[in-house]
Amino acid sequence: MRLCRLFASIAFGLFVLTACNPSSDKPAAPGTATSTPASSAAATAPSTAPAANQPPAPVQASEQNGGQYTMLATPQPTEDSSGKTEVLEFFGYFCNHCHALDPALNAWVKKQSNRIAFKRIPVRPDEGKLYYALEAMGKLDALHEKIFNAVQVERKRVHNESAAADLVAQFGVDRNAFIEQYNSFSVQSKVMAAANTAKAYGIDGVPMVAIDGRFITSGSHAAKRPGTEQTEAGLYKSMLAIMDELLAKARQERGAGAKAATK
């Protein structure tokens, strides 16, 4: 099991991603998520709204290096202007595989901090409101791991305002201040932007990582890497190795492009 499968639907004009069981708002139990083939990673919503729970139309992309990563035909714009390479993790607190990857990914991000601009993209709107509200309050870094453990280990639910507020209050967050941020325009805007980003990258399963607006890899991609141990730990070890290679590739290509532009 490598990815938590997502299903696309349209709700109130917002692109909504729901977890392994589309009829439930409970977190996916360990070992119950449906694995997603790497080839299905390239999927996104069409310009007209599909029927609820119908798979979206594919984004143009191609598998590279024996399927170890996918390259988008149309690169997505990146936000960082400091010369660092943008790295996005599409994730969900509902996803046990994201939880399993998180410690190793955090260590990788720390190791690469002088070369990358890292950002997480929550793929479910309910979790996005929780995530961006805590970010606005300056509480996200301190509580990210605690939220993951609460959802995945303690089986807490964060599917609506009341449940999310109850949970963060347990960690000492002012409940009223959190609710104000949870319903703020800025948080709503970030949730919609996250949904649009996931759509543009064709994300239909998590965890997935996008590098430099062009390259996407995941545990399912890593399964195709020669010599990969076919366990969750082995898959994510190979996934991080692929990310190292993609980061080097992106930086090399951008460096070559910059040199060519100055000639």
Side-chain angles (χ1 to χ4, degrees):
M1 303 298 181
R2 300 160 194 131
L3 299 177
C4 288
R5 179 66 167 161
L6 304 179
F7 299 88
S9 64
I10 299 295
F12 304 106
L14 180 65
F15 183 78
V16 179
L17 294 173
T18 55
C20 310
N21 180 357
S23 64
S24 173
D25 55 24
K26 296 181 181 179
T32 61
T34 304
S35 63
T36 305
S39 60
S40 70
T44 190
S47 57
T48 56
N53 294 329
Q54 292 300 307
V59 164
Q60 290 188 355
S62 59
E63 290 190 344
Q64 303 288 319
N65 198 19
Q68 294 184 41
Y69 66 94
T70 297
M71 184 168 68
L72 297 181
T74 303
Q76 295 301 307
T78 57
E79 295 181 358
D80 192 80
S81 59
S82 65
K84 294 184 177 182
T85 303
E86 183 182 79
V87 176
L88 306 178
E89 184 209 8
F90 297 90
F91 88 105
Y93 289 119
F94 68 91
C95 173
N96 53 303
H97 306 302
C98 300
H99 184 231
L101 173 64
D102 203 56
L105 180 60
N106 288 339
W108 184 88
V109 169
K110 184 177 181 179
K111 181 182 73 173
Q112 301 288 2
S113 60
N114 64 330
R115 300 202 295 167
I116 68 171
F118 177 73
K119 183 167 67 172
R120 289 185 172 90
I121 306 291
V123 296
R124 275 179 42 162
D126 53 353
E127 294 186 350
K129 292 177 74 173
L130 163 65
Y131 183 90
Y132 292 120
L134 290 175
E135 181 182 68
M137 298 177 74
K139 304 288 187 181
L140 181 60
D141 289 344
L143 295 183
H144 173 71
E145 183 178 352
K146 292 181 179 181
I147 299 292
F148 245 143
N149 288 335
V151 173
Q152 289 297 323
V153 179
E154 300 173 22
R155 316 307 293 164
K156 300 288 188 179
R157 299 170 70 182
V158 293
H159 61 293
N160 59 28
E161 175 191 298
S162 179
D166 287 347
L167 178 60
V168 300
Q170 294 178 20
F171 300 132
V173 176
D174 183 278
R175 197 177 195 278
N176 291 333
F178 171 79
I179 290 174
E180 182 178 355
Q181 288 295 335
Y182 187 94
N183 293 307
S184 68
F185 177 79
S186 62
V187 164
Q188 300 287 350
S189 297
K190 287 184 177 182
V191 169
M192 184 168 289
N196 289 335
T197 301
K199 181 171 69 171
Y201 277 91
I203 302 302
D204 68 349
V206 290
M208 284 193 184
V209 171
I211 294 177
D212 198 36
R214 298 180 287 159
F215 310 122
I216 299 173
T217 193
S218 67
S220 289
H221 290 89
K224 300 179 182 181
R225 185 179 178 88
T228 295
E229 180 183 343
Q230 298 298 310
T231 63
E232 190 162 62
L235 291 169
Y236 292 147
K237 180 179 179 180
S238 284
M239 178 179 170
L240 293 172
I242 294 168
M243 289 163 56
D244 280 333
E245 295 168 4
L246 292 175
L247 178 59
K249 177 179 174 66
R251 291 177 65 83
Q252 181 182 27
E253 291 177 356
R254 284 193 176 272
K259 288 180 180 180
T262 59
K263 291 182 179 179

